Each structure stands twice: as C-alpha cells, then as structure tokens.
Amino acid sequence: MDTCLIDGVGLWLEQLTRHIGPGRPALFFDRDGVIVEETQYLGKAEDVHMIPAAASAIKTANDAGVPVVIITNQSGIGRGYYNWQEFSAVQQVIHEHLAAAGAYVDMVLACAFHKAAQAPYAHPDHPWRKPNPGMIEAAADALALDLGASLIIGDKKSDLEAGQLAGIRYGVLVETGHGPVETIDFLPRDLLPMKAAIASDVGTAVQWARSIGWAPCTENVIELLPPERP
C-alpha cells in the first residue's frame, strides 16, 4: 500500500492495469456521489453502496478499450477522519463490486491535502486537489492519454473545472451525490471549450457522451497488474 503514496504522505496513485498503446481517450470519474453513494467522508468499507448505473457505464468503457480513471479528493484523510489503509479497504470493496459486473478501473488517484487539514496534510491550494488539474495530468502522463478526446464525470462543478483546466473535451455533471445542489446554477457554457451537459446518473452521462462522438471503439488490450492491498 505504501508504494501507492507517491510522495509518502498525501498523494495516492494506484495503477491496476497496463494498457498497450498510447494516445487513448479516457473516462475520468469522481468517486463519491458518482460511482458510490455519497456518505460524507467515506472511510469504512461497510459503508460502500454502489450507484446502480456505475458498473455498466465503466464496463462500456472497458469494452471499448478506454482507460477508466478515478480521481478523488480525500480531505477526510487530511482531517483525521480515516487513514490511507481504510481508504484502500474502501477501494477494494469498490473493485470487488465492479469485478462482479465484469468491470474494472485502470487507475485510482487521490489527494488528501486541504487548506483546513491537519499536519502534514495542510496545504493552501495543492495542485492535485480539484478543481486543480494535477490528478488528471498525472494520470495522463502515466497512461499516455489523449485528454482532448477524454470524458470526465462528476457530481460537482469543481470536478468538471479540473477537467477543463487539463484540456478534457467532454464533461458531465450528474444529479447523484451533490448534483441536486450543484446543478441549480450550472451553465455548460461556463466550461467552454469543453462540451458539457447535465445527466441523471453516470449511465446516462456515458450515453450522452457517446451520442456526440466520445470514445470511438478501439482495440481492448490490457494487462492486469496484481493489486497491492493492506
């Protein structure tokens, strides 16, 4: 598990597969409120409840050979509510739910830094914390992704803002999680040149993106890497 902390403190990067061939579009997800139900600082494996459409949406990308990347702010670690081992246990449950549906995630990135966090996680504006694009850029470097053809799905405008700053072309704000509040004042034109929309859930979001040309079918060639678990 320690090897996933690339700075030894607050930046998590876990690669679960190895795609053959660079230049692929990717599907970026926020986690809480998009893939799993929002519980306000999810730090217990037993509190994981999947959003029903998530696994099938991820499998759609898997079947098209499109890498799937989770990017998640984890200020709950910085605030002392749970630790990286508990975060990893939550991730393991998510991976198991996805595997049961024939789906998988290629990479998980998380940032524990926050301006109101405890030491050593206190940081006024860390480049990895959304709406900053650091997690997206790190994933793009690691997987040789084509961000200009990629899609990001989140339940907060800050998720899409991170994508816009990174040069992601498509973004969808879903109405699950924090979506009911976030969609009230959301204007897709504010994110131009990103093509943005609102969708009821992640499944509808992927359908919309595909309807306007996202994620052309590519050869699905991956190598599964042995996961590191606590």
Side-chain angles (χ1 to χ4, degrees):
M1 185 188 71
D2 290 344
T3 58
C4 295
L5 288 173
I6 61 173
D7 65 340
V9 181
L11 303 179
W12 178 280
L13 191 156
E14 181 178 17
Q15 185 165 345
L16 300 163
T17 68
R18 183 180 293 113
H19 276 257
I20 309 302
R24 295 169 180 260
L27 174 53
F28 288 90
F29 284 104
D30 177 44
R31 193 191 72 178
D32 301 351
V34 179
I35 295 175
V36 298
E37 294 181 4
E38 175 64 50
T39 61
Q40 195 67 15
Y41 302 115
L42 176 57
K44 295 182 179 180
E46 58 266 30
D47 291 337
V48 171
H49 300 286
M50 301 291 291
I51 289 176
S56 61
I58 291 172
K59 190 174 188 304
T60 295
N62 297 153
D63 291 344
V66 174
V68 175
V69 180
I70 293 175
I71 52 169
T72 175
N73 289 342
Q74 289 293 317
S75 70
I77 293 173
R79 297 170 192 267
Y81 299 154
Y82 50 91
N83 58 34
W84 283 117
Q85 185 171 355
E86 290 166 314
F87 170 83
S88 182
V90 166
Q91 284 301 131
Q92 173 65 11
V93 173
I94 293 171
H95 295 317
E96 289 170 357
H97 279 293
L98 293 176
Y104 58 86
V105 170
D106 295 275
M107 181 170 283
V108 179
L109 299 95
C111 177
F113 292 105
H114 187 270
K115 62 183 179 181
Q118 305 170 355
Y121 303 105
H123 192 288
D125 188 27
H126 197 281
W128 270 40
R129 181 170 173 81
K130 294 177 289 183
N132 295 323
M135 284 190 282
I136 296 171
E137 293 168 346
D141 288 343
L143 298 175
L145 302 174
D146 179 1
L147 293 180
S150 294
L151 166 65
I152 186 166
I153 302 175
D155 66 330
K156 292 184 177 181
K157 186 179 179 181
S158 59
D159 297 320
L160 274 62
E161 289 172 336
Q164 179 199 40
L165 289 171
I168 289 179
R169 184 176 183 184
Y170 305 99
V172 183
L173 183 65
V174 292
E175 294 176 322
T176 50
H178 294 283
V181 173
E182 292 281 321
T183 57
I184 293 173
D185 298 318
F186 179 72
L187 296 174
R189 66 173 179 267
D190 290 343
L191 293 169
L192 289 172
M194 173 185 278
K195 295 182 179 180
I198 296 172
S200 58
D201 60 24
V202 66
T204 307
V206 170
Q207 291 173 10
W208 169 83
R210 295 189 78 188
S211 74
I212 63 169
W214 170 75
C217 185
T218 57
E219 185 181 2
N220 186 8
V221 182
I222 67 159
E223 176 186 352
L224 294 175
L225 299 178
E228 293 202 20
R229 299 293 175 237

